[in-house]
Structures are given as C-alpha cells and as structure tokens.
Amino acid sequence: MSDATTGKNLRINGERLWQSLMEMAKIGATEKGGVCRLALTDLDREGRDLFVGWCKEAGCTVSVDRMGNIFARRPGRDNSLPPVGTGSHLDSQPTGGKFDGVYGVLAGLEVIRTLNDLNYETTAPIEVVVWTNEEGSRFAPAMVASGVFAGVFDEEYGLTRKDLDGKTMGEELKRIGYAGDLPVGGRKFGAFFETHIEQGPILEAEKKTIGIVQGAQGQRWYEITLVGQEAHAGPTPMRRRKDALLGASRLVHEVNRIGLANQPYACATVGLMQVSPNSRNTIPGKVFFTVDFRHPDDATLSRMDAELRTTAQRIAGEIGLQLQLEQIWYSPPVAFDKKCVAAVQDGAQTLGYENMPIISGAGHDSCYIARVAPTAMVFVPCEDGISHNEVENAAPGDIAAGCNVLLQAMLSRANAP
C-alpha cells in the first residue's frame, strides 16, 4: 500500500483541535482556568449539545443509548464492518481541568474533520463516543455507563445511581434530554482507542511526547460509616467519648500507611467525608467517608483490601464505634490488546515522536471497553503531572501529537485487510 492509501502522511489540524478544546472549556469555566461540568447537569447538557452540533456539521450520524452514551459515526466504504471507535467523556470533577476526558472526545472529532478535509474514505466506519459519568464524582461509581455497555453493571443499576441529593442518573438523563432509546451494549467495535492526558508526571519527567499505554491499575472503592454517640463537648469526659470523627481520623491515617507500605505502585486516598452533626461544640456521632485503593497487581490490591478491613474493625472496637464498610466498586487490573497497542506504537514511531510504554494510574472508560473490544490508549504529558485540578494544563504541540498518533492508529485498524 502507498502512504496515500494507508494515511501515513496524514496530519490533523492542531490549531483547530486546540480551538475546539478552548471553546468547550467555556462551558462550566471556573475562575482558576478550569471547568466544572458535573455529569448530567445543565452544563453537561450544554457540552453535549455543542459536541453533537459539531458532529452533525461534520456529516456524522448521531445516536444515543439509554445510559446517555453518544455515538457519532462517519461512514466507511464497507459499512457492514464494525466501526473503529474512539472517545472519552465530557463530564468533569468539581474542580476539573480543560483536558481530562474532553481531549479524547474532541481528538476523535478532529480525526473525522481531518478525514473530511482530505476526502479520505476509510474501509470501516469511524465512530466517536461520549461515555456518561466517567468521573464518578456526582454519581458513584466511576465509568458507570461504559460499565453498563461492557456488561459489568446491568442497566437498572446504572440508571438508579444516586447523587448526594438523591437524584438518579435515569431521572437526570431524562431531564437534560439525553435518555436515548438504543439498548446499552451489544454494539461491536473493530477496535477502540482513547487519547488522554497522562494525569501523572512520568512522561514530562522522561521527556517523552507519547505514552504507549499497556494497561491500567486495578481499583477498589469503599464507602465507610462510623457511628458513635453525639454528646456535649464540654461536660463529656474524654475517656467516655465515642467520637466517630476520631475513629475516622485514625482510619484515614491507616489508609495512607497502607498506600505507603505497598510502594512503588500503590495509591490510597480518602477524598470525601461527611461529619454529623457537624457542630463545633458537639462530639461527632457519625462520619461517612470514602476510600480509593489502586495497584496494578491484583494480589497486592487484595492484600490492601484485607488490611483495610482488619484495621477498620480494630479502630472501631477500640473507640466503641459501629462500623459499616462496603466495597462499592472493583475494577481489576487491565491489559490492553496487543495489536491495538502495537498500532499506537507504530503510529508514534512513524511520526517520529519520542515515546515510552506506560501503565495508567487512573481508571478510564477504555478499561471497561477492553472487555468487549480490542482496545488501547494514547497518553500525552500534562504540566507537572497535575490533573483533577483547575490548573491542569497541556502543551498544544503535545495535544496535536497525541491526536496525530490516534489518527494513525485508527487508520491502521480501519483499513486493515
């Protein structure tokens, strides 16, 4: 095949991609330069509407399934073939950045726009996907809609996930107009690729432009409630107290210790806490909080789980607290498809980008899609490795480079004999 046939000489329009990212970042923009587009809020709807409008302008057919996942398809020469897909998410953290998730969506759109510019026809169709509620910030767990798509969760489970105000995903999908009628899952992909900022410091430190993602860490999410006894902060002697916040504080310290004890790869985080009654002169009677454990080795992750449970029981017993500990989500370590990983590697080398193999420390929708389709990811550096933060930043050249690699990888699979 010639370069014209394989597309090895094609490059995306980096300036257009950057402008699209900056335009989307206006929706939910924050004072520090980030975004807040929580899943299924009015701002999320605005972002979805903008994306759908852009896709229709690019000649795509747009459809939505019952979990609100959006599919924008560009036809190929043989539309009986399953599409080669790409995509990510448009929802953000409360103090999120301009690139997490949305880069993977708009990079896919830029691939389609570039192919349109050049009147380039792929053999198989190309499809860009927006997965609902990847972040898990408003509705836990994370990646719930791609999880339903992959058969990890059933549809009823996904639609009944509640936010802290008791609103369900199903209700909010209807409210914002993105409760589609397509069944969730059963949709074939010939391959699936996701571009993303690394969300860590490795690529920047190693001076590499492209991360060839081999797989992702396993994750366990927990919800813990400690119940003691509310009492007056003045008359109640210290030794008679059943202070739920004291128990929570001790367990937070132990969560951190468990993470440090399982280096070099373990991560352990308490990111949400609710104290009741939250009064300055009342001993806390109830504390609810979350724990996030991650490790690329499943056996180590299981040991961390066992230690958390044993430690929580011990601390609750020492203070006289009632303990409720529930693992609400488990995502095992993921190894991506070798042919798709090789397509990313070949793309980076063809284009002359410095690259390296890397393991994702974060969860992504691709971790679930890998269960039902050949999948791989492309990472690019982010400034100081910072993400889930309003100051999250990436260089325009790196953003363009990742999209160029995505284009090459998608063409290699969409034109595969």
Side-chain angles (χ1 to χ4, degrees):
M1 284 188 177
S2 68
D3 280 355
T5 302
T6 62
K8 289 185 180 298
N9 60 334
L10 302 187
R11 302 292 186 275
I12 60 94
N13 185 329
E15 183 178 350
R16 179 173 56 195
L17 172 57
W18 187 263
Q19 289 174 346
S20 297
L21 284 163
M22 295 305 106
E23 185 68 22
M24 184 67 77
K26 294 177 182 178
I27 301 174
T30 62
E31 291 184 2
K32 295 180 181 178
V35 297
C36 178
R37 282 194 307 267
L38 298 182
L40 309 186
T41 58
D42 290 343
L43 291 170
D44 186 22
R45 175 179 57 198
E46 287 185 42
R48 286 164 171 259
D49 288 349
L50 180 60
F51 169 73
V52 168
W54 282 339
C55 289
K56 289 181 176 179
E57 289 174 5
C60 295
T61 301
V62 178
S63 57
V64 183
D65 71 18
R66 291 193 291 258
M67 285 301 301
N69 298 316
I70 304 169
F71 303 87
R73 182 174 294 198
R74 180 183 191 264
R77 283 191 298 272
D78 185 352
N79 292 310
S80 68
L81 294 172
V84 172
T86 187
S88 194
H89 59 97
L90 292 175
D91 65 307
S92 80
Q93 290 287 325
T95 53
K98 295 190 288 284
F99 303 96
D100 178 2
V102 63
Y103 169 46
V105 172
L106 297 185
L109 175 59
E110 178 54 37
V111 165
I112 287 176
R113 286 170 164 172
T114 295
L115 295 177
N116 288 347
D117 291 344
L118 301 171
N119 294 314
Y120 187 103
E121 189 176 35
T122 55
T123 303
I126 296 291
E127 193 160 82
V128 183
V129 186
V130 174
W131 303 108
T132 300
N133 187 54
E134 190 272 353
E135 292 291 1
S137 179
R138 184 181 179 195
F139 303 97
M143 300 137 54
V144 67
S146 57
V148 175
F149 182 91
V152 177
F153 312 117
D154 63 37
E155 190 175 314
E156 181 182 3
Y157 174 88
L159 293 174
T160 56
R161 295 308 87 204
K162 293 181 179 180
D163 66 9
L164 294 176
D165 296 323
K167 297 176 182 177
T168 68
M169 286 188 67
E171 292 166 347
E172 290 295 270
L173 279 167
K174 290 178 182 177
R175 186 185 67 80
I176 70 168
Y178 277 90
D181 54 8
L182 291 179
V184 187
R187 192 182 187 98
K188 301 295 185 183
F189 288 110
F192 190 87
F193 297 93
E194 182 175 1
T195 49
H196 211 284
I197 58 170
E198 181 197 344
Q199 300 184 283
I202 296 172
L203 292 176
E204 185 179 63
E206 296 294 328
K207 295 181 170 53
K208 304 295 184 183
T209 303
I210 300 295
I212 315 297
V213 187
Q214 311 296 302
Q217 293 196 90
Q219 298 185 56
R220 292 180 185 266
W221 280 17
Y222 307 85
E223 291 184 345
I224 300 176
T225 302
L226 289 170
V227 179
Q229 185 177 61
E230 296 168 17
H232 198 298
T236 310
M238 295 295 290
R239 296 187 183 278
R240 294 180 62 89
R241 300 183 177 199
K242 296 181 179 179
D243 188 334
L245 183 55
L246 174 62
S249 300
R250 290 182 180 176
L251 190 49
V252 169
H253 176 78
E254 289 298 306
V255 165
N256 190 68
R257 182 192 60 76
I258 291 169
L260 290 172
N262 288 278
Q263 291 304 297
Y265 301 115
C267 293
T269 307
V270 174
L272 184 153
M273 182 175 287
Q274 296 173 320
V275 181
S276 178
N278 211 28
S279 172
R280 68 182 64 210
N281 62 344
T282 300
I283 298 165
K286 183 178 179 180
V287 177
F288 168 85
F289 60 105
T290 62
V291 174
D292 177 323
F293 276 170
R294 307 188 187 209
H295 201 282
D297 176 66
D298 205 32
T300 303
L301 194 60
S302 294
R303 289 197 300 272
M304 293 168 67
D305 170 81
E307 189 163 4
L308 174 68
R309 294 175 186 276
T310 300
T311 303
Q313 289 283 0
R314 174 179 58 78
I315 290 172
E318 290 171 351
I319 303 174
L321 306 175
Q322 298 173 33
L323 169 68
Q324 296 174 357
L325 190 157
E326 180 184 3
Q327 178 182 285
I328 65 162
W329 183 47
Y330 167 58
S331 179
V334 176
F336 287 136
D337 179 77
K338 291 182 179 179
K339 289 184 178 180
C340 288
V341 171
V344 174
Q345 176 88 47
D346 291 346
Q349 292 180 341
T350 295
L351 297 169
Y353 295 129
E354 291 290 329
N355 63 85
M356 64 178 288
I358 194 169
I359 294 291
S360 175
H364 299 282
D365 291 305
S366 288
C367 296
Y368 281 151
I369 304 310
R371 299 187 180 206
V372 293
T375 300
M377 293 189 71
V378 183
F379 275 180
V380 299
C382 54
E383 189 174 305
D384 296 327
I386 294 174
S387 183
H388 284 199
N389 188 309
E390 293 165 273
V391 302
E392 173 187 279
N393 196 24
D398 291 339
I399 290 293
C403 191
N404 277 325
V405 172
L406 174 69
L407 172 63
Q408 292 297 318
M410 293 188 75
L411 290 179
S412 75
R413 302 304 294 160
N415 294 328

mmCIF file of all heavy atoms in Angstrom, residues 290-314:
data_model
loop_
_atom_site.group_PDB
_atom_site.id
_atom_site.type_symbol
_atom_site.label_atom_id
_atom_site.label_comp_id
_atom_site.label_asym_id
_atom_site.label_seq_id
_atom_site.Cartn_x
_atom_site.Cartn_y
_atom_site.Cartn_z
ATOM 1 N N THR A 290 -15.078 8.030 52.118
ATOM 2 C CA THR A 290 -14.749 7.109 51.037
ATOM 3 C C THR A 290 -13.270 6.762 51.064
ATOM 4 O O THR A 290 -12.440 7.531 51.545
ATOM 5 C CB THR A 290 -15.083 7.716 49.668
ATOM 6 O OG1 THR A 290 -14.300 8.907 49.472
ATOM 7 C CG2 THR A 290 -16.562 8.080 49.578
ATOM 8 N N VAL A 291 -12.938 5.602 50.514
ATOM 9 C CA VAL A 291 -11.547 5.164 50.351
ATOM 10 C C VAL A 291 -11.371 4.684 48.919
ATOM 11 O O VAL A 291 -12.237 3.995 48.358
ATOM 12 C CB VAL A 291 -11.183 4.038 51.330
ATOM 13 C CG1 VAL A 291 -9.786 3.488 51.039
ATOM 14 C CG2 VAL A 291 -11.276 4.524 52.770
ATOM 15 N N ASP A 292 -10.240 5.061 48.320
ATOM 16 C CA ASP A 292 -9.891 4.684 46.954
ATOM 17 C C ASP A 292 -8.521 4.011 47.004
ATOM 18 O O ASP A 292 -7.530 4.634 47.365
ATOM 19 C CB ASP A 292 -9.852 5.964 46.098
ATOM 20 C CG ASP A 292 -9.439 5.740 44.648
ATOM 21 O OD1 ASP A 292 -8.571 4.888 44.394
ATOM 22 O OD2 ASP A 292 -9.961 6.458 43.784
ATOM 23 N N PHE A 293 -8.473 2.708 46.671
ATOM 24 C CA PHE A 293 -7.223 1.944 46.596
ATOM 25 C C PHE A 293 -6.924 1.608 45.135
ATOM 26 O O PHE A 293 -7.838 1.226 44.380
ATOM 27 C CB PHE A 293 -7.338 0.623 47.362
ATOM 28 C CG PHE A 293 -7.086 0.707 48.841
ATOM 29 C CD1 PHE A 293 -7.374 -0.379 49.663
ATOM 30 C CD2 PHE A 293 -6.559 1.841 49.426
ATOM 31 C CE1 PHE A 293 -7.140 -0.329 51.022
ATOM 32 C CE2 PHE A 293 -6.328 1.904 50.793
ATOM 33 C CZ PHE A 293 -6.620 0.808 51.589
ATOM 34 N N ARG A 294 -5.631 1.693 44.750
ATOM 35 C CA ARG A 294 -5.228 1.345 43.387
ATOM 36 C C ARG A 294 -3.884 0.621 43.392
ATOM 37 O O ARG A 294 -2.989 0.969 44.151
ATOM 38 C CB ARG A 294 -5.129 2.598 42.508
ATOM 39 C CG ARG A 294 -6.377 3.442 42.539
ATOM 40 C CD ARG A 294 -6.362 4.568 41.547
ATOM 41 N NE ARG A 294 -7.526 5.421 41.767
ATOM 42 C CZ ARG A 294 -8.129 6.133 40.832
ATOM 43 N NH1 ARG A 294 -7.679 6.102 39.595
ATOM 44 N NH2 ARG A 294 -9.173 6.878 41.117
ATOM 45 N N HIS A 295 -3.760 -0.363 42.501
ATOM 46 C CA HIS A 295 -2.490 -1.064 42.322
ATOM 47 C C HIS A 295 -2.568 -1.883 41.037
ATOM 48 O O HIS A 295 -3.623 -2.440 40.725
ATOM 49 C CB HIS A 295 -2.185 -1.985 43.501
ATOM 50 C CG HIS A 295 -0.736 -2.325 43.620
ATOM 51 N ND1 HIS A 295 -0.126 -3.272 42.819
ATOM 52 C CD2 HIS A 295 0.257 -1.834 44.417
ATOM 53 C CE1 HIS A 295 1.153 -3.342 43.137
ATOM 54 N NE2 HIS A 295 1.417 -2.486 44.092
ATOM 55 N N PRO A 296 -1.465 -1.981 40.263
ATOM 56 C CA PRO A 296 -1.503 -2.763 39.028
ATOM 57 C C PRO A 296 -1.462 -4.275 39.240
ATOM 58 O O PRO A 296 -1.722 -5.036 38.310
ATOM 59 C CB PRO A 296 -0.252 -2.300 38.274
ATOM 60 C CG PRO A 296 0.668 -1.793 39.333
ATOM 61 C CD PRO A 296 -0.217 -1.211 40.393
ATOM 62 N N ASP A 297 -1.131 -4.719 40.470
ATOM 63 C CA ASP A 297 -1.090 -6.147 40.774
ATOM 64 C C ASP A 297 -2.308 -6.514 41.608
ATOM 65 O O ASP A 297 -2.518 -5.973 42.701
ATOM 66 C CB ASP A 297 0.195 -6.500 41.538
ATOM 67 C CG ASP A 297 0.230 -7.950 41.952
ATOM 68 O OD1 ASP A 297 0.291 -8.823 41.069
ATOM 69 O OD2 ASP A 297 0.165 -8.223 43.171
ATOM 70 N N ASP A 298 -3.117 -7.445 41.114
ATOM 71 C CA ASP A 298 -4.380 -7.759 41.774
ATOM 72 C C ASP A 298 -4.177 -8.393 43.150
ATOM 73 O O ASP A 298 -4.949 -8.154 44.082
ATOM 74 C CB ASP A 298 -5.210 -8.689 40.886
ATOM 75 C CG ASP A 298 -6.700 -8.583 41.176
ATOM 76 O OD1 ASP A 298 -7.156 -7.492 41.549
ATOM 77 O OD2 ASP A 298 -7.402 -9.595 41.015
ATOM 78 N N ALA A 299 -3.132 -9.210 43.304
ATOM 79 C CA ALA A 299 -2.880 -9.849 44.595
ATOM 80 C C ALA A 299 -2.536 -8.801 45.651
ATOM 81 O O ALA A 299 -2.990 -8.882 46.802
ATOM 82 C CB ALA A 299 -1.752 -10.867 44.466
ATOM 83 N N THR A 300 -1.730 -7.809 45.279
ATOM 84 C CA THR A 300 -1.394 -6.732 46.211
ATOM 85 C C THR A 300 -2.627 -5.926 46.572
ATOM 86 O O THR A 300 -2.847 -5.565 47.730
ATOM 87 C CB THR A 300 -0.325 -5.810 45.610
ATOM 88 O OG1 THR A 300 0.821 -6.589 45.260
ATOM 89 C CG2 THR A 300 0.073 -4.721 46.591
ATOM 90 N N LEU A 301 -3.465 -5.648 45.577
ATOM 91 C CA LEU A 301 -4.697 -4.907 45.827
ATOM 92 C C LEU A 301 -5.602 -5.672 46.797
ATOM 93 O O LEU A 301 -6.245 -5.077 47.675
ATOM 94 C CB LEU A 301 -5.419 -4.660 44.505
ATOM 95 C CG LEU A 301 -6.545 -3.628 44.488
ATOM 96 C CD1 LEU A 301 -6.051 -2.250 44.893
ATOM 97 C CD2 LEU A 301 -7.167 -3.572 43.095
ATOM 98 N N SER A 302 -5.614 -6.982 46.687
ATOM 99 C CA SER A 302 -6.409 -7.809 47.611
ATOM 100 C C SER A 302 -5.844 -7.758 49.023
ATOM 101 O O SER A 302 -6.593 -7.742 50.007
ATOM 102 C CB SER A 302 -6.452 -9.258 47.107
ATOM 103 O OG SER A 302 -7.153 -9.342 45.884
ATOM 104 N N ARG A 303 -4.522 -7.740 49.146
ATOM 105 C CA ARG A 303 -3.915 -7.617 50.481
ATOM 106 C C ARG A 303 -4.237 -6.261 51.107
ATOM 107 O O ARG A 303 -4.482 -6.165 52.308
ATOM 108 C CB ARG A 303 -2.394 -7.811 50.394
ATOM 109 C CG ARG A 303 -1.957 -9.230 50.095
ATOM 110 C CD ARG A 303 -0.482 -9.436 50.421
ATOM 111 N NE ARG A 303 0.379 -8.565 49.652
ATOM 112 C CZ ARG A 303 0.855 -8.875 48.439
ATOM 113 N NH1 ARG A 303 0.547 -10.034 47.890
ATOM 114 N NH2 ARG A 303 1.643 -8.037 47.798
ATOM 115 N N MET A 304 -4.235 -5.219 50.303
ATOM 116 C CA MET A 304 -4.602 -3.901 50.803
ATOM 117 C C MET A 304 -6.048 -3.894 51.300
ATOM 118 O O MET A 304 -6.372 -3.311 52.338
ATOM 119 C CB MET A 304 -4.409 -2.849 49.703
ATOM 120 C CG MET A 304 -2.950 -2.639 49.307
ATOM 121 S SD MET A 304 -2.743 -1.673 47.780
ATOM 122 C CE MET A 304 -3.349 -0.053 48.304
ATOM 123 N N ASP A 305 -6.909 -4.569 50.555
ATOM 124 C CA ASP A 305 -8.319 -4.702 50.953
ATOM 125 C C ASP A 305 -8.442 -5.391 52.309
ATOM 126 O O ASP A 305 -9.152 -4.919 53.203
ATOM 127 C CB ASP A 305 -9.058 -5.504 49.878
ATOM 128 C CG ASP A 305 -10.458 -5.902 50.295
ATOM 129 O OD1 ASP A 305 -11.372 -5.078 50.192
ATOM 130 O OD2 ASP A 305 -10.630 -7.063 50.724
ATOM 131 N N ALA A 306 -7.737 -6.496 52.472
ATOM 132 C CA ALA A 306 -7.816 -7.250 53.731
ATOM 133 C C ALA A 306 -7.308 -6.422 54.902
ATOM 134 O O ALA A 306 -7.888 -6.440 56.002
ATOM 135 C CB ALA A 306 -7.024 -8.554 53.614
ATOM 136 N N GLU A 307 -6.236 -5.673 54.677
ATOM 137 C CA GLU A 307 -5.675 -4.867 55.758
ATOM 138 C C GLU A 307 -6.612 -3.727 56.143
ATOM 139 O O GLU A 307 -6.745 -3.391 57.325
ATOM 140 C CB GLU A 307 -4.308 -4.322 55.356
ATOM 141 C CG GLU A 307 -3.578 -3.663 56.516
ATOM 142 C CD GLU A 307 -2.096 -3.490 56.281
ATOM 143 O OE1 GLU A 307 -1.629 -3.812 55.176
ATOM 144 O OE2 GLU A 307 -1.417 -3.019 57.212
ATOM 145 N N LEU A 308 -7.269 -3.132 55.156
ATOM 146 C CA LEU A 308 -8.238 -2.076 55.465
ATOM 147 C C LEU A 308 -9.351 -2.614 56.350
ATOM 148 O O LEU A 308 -9.723 -1.983 57.350
ATOM 149 C CB LEU A 308 -8.830 -1.521 54.163
ATOM 150 C CG LEU A 308 -9.974 -0.515 54.340
ATOM 151 C CD1 LEU A 308 -9.472 0.780 54.964
ATOM 152 C CD2 LEU A 308 -10.660 -0.235 52.994
ATOM 153 N N ARG A 309 -9.873 -3.755 56.018
ATOM 154 C CA ARG A 309 -10.990 -4.321 56.776
ATOM 155 C C ARG A 309 -10.574 -4.665 58.208
ATOM 156 O O ARG A 309 -11.290 -4.350 59.169
ATOM 157 C CB ARG A 309 -11.531 -5.566 56.062
ATOM 158 C CG ARG A 309 -12.163 -5.234 54.715
ATOM 159 C CD ARG A 309 -12.591 -6.496 53.956
ATOM 160 N NE ARG A 309 -13.057 -6.181 52.613
ATOM 161 C CZ ARG A 309 -14.287 -5.791 52.297
ATOM 162 N NH1 ARG A 309 -15.193 -5.679 53.271
ATOM 163 N NH2 ARG A 309 -14.615 -5.537 51.055
ATOM 164 N N THR A 310 -9.411 -5.277 58.347
ATOM 165 C CA THR A 310 -8.926 -5.636 59.685
ATOM 166 C C THR A 310 -8.660 -4.392 60.523
ATOM 167 O O THR A 310 -9.036 -4.321 61.709
ATOM 168 C CB THR A 310 -7.637 -6.462 59.565
ATOM 169 O OG1 THR A 310 -7.907 -7.655 58.828
ATOM 170 C CG2 THR A 310 -7.103 -6.831 60.937
ATOM 171 N N THR A 311 -8.025 -3.403 59.928
ATOM 172 C CA THR A 311 -7.681 -2.174 60.639
ATOM 173 C C THR A 311 -8.933 -1.398 61.041
ATOM 174 O O THR A 311 -9.017 -0.860 62.156
ATOM 175 C CB THR A 311 -6.776 -1.290 59.769
ATOM 176 O OG1 THR A 311 -5.605 -2.037 59.407
ATOM 177 C CG2 THR A 311 -6.362 -0.032 60.511
ATOM 178 N N ALA A 312 -9.917 -1.339 60.153
ATOM 179 C CA ALA A 312 -11.153 -0.626 60.462
ATOM 180 C C ALA A 312 -11.882 -1.274 61.638
ATOM 181 O O ALA A 312 -12.389 -0.579 62.531
ATOM 182 C CB ALA A 312 -12.051 -0.583 59.233
ATOM 183 N N GLN A 313 -11.915 -2.596 61.668
ATOM 184 C CA GLN A 313 -12.556 -3.304 62.782
ATOM 185 C C GLN A 313 -11.834 -3.013 64.096
ATOM 186 O O GLN A 313 -12.474 -2.785 65.137
ATOM 187 C CB GLN A 313 -12.559 -4.813 62.504
ATOM 188 C CG GLN A 313 -13.508 -5.255 61.402
ATOM 189 C CD GLN A 313 -14.962 -5.299 61.847
ATOM 190 O OE1 GLN A 313 -15.300 -4.996 62.990
ATOM 191 N NE2 GLN A 313 -15.837 -5.674 60.928
ATOM 192 N N ARG A 314 -10.513 -3.007 64.044
ATOM 193 C CA ARG A 314 -9.737 -2.758 65.262
ATOM 194 C C ARG A 314 -9.991 -1.354 65.803
ATOM 195 O O ARG A 314 -10.241 -1.174 67.008
ATOM 196 C CB ARG A 314 -8.245 -2.951 64.978
ATOM 197 C CG ARG A 314 -7.340 -2.562 66.146
ATOM 198 C CD ARG A 314 -5.882 -2.779 65.847
ATOM 199 N NE ARG A 314 -5.415 -2.042 64.683
ATOM 200 C CZ ARG A 314 -5.130 -0.743 64.685
ATOM 201 N NH1 ARG A 314 -5.293 -0.017 65.791
ATOM 202 N NH2 ARG A 314 -4.678 -0.156 63.590
#
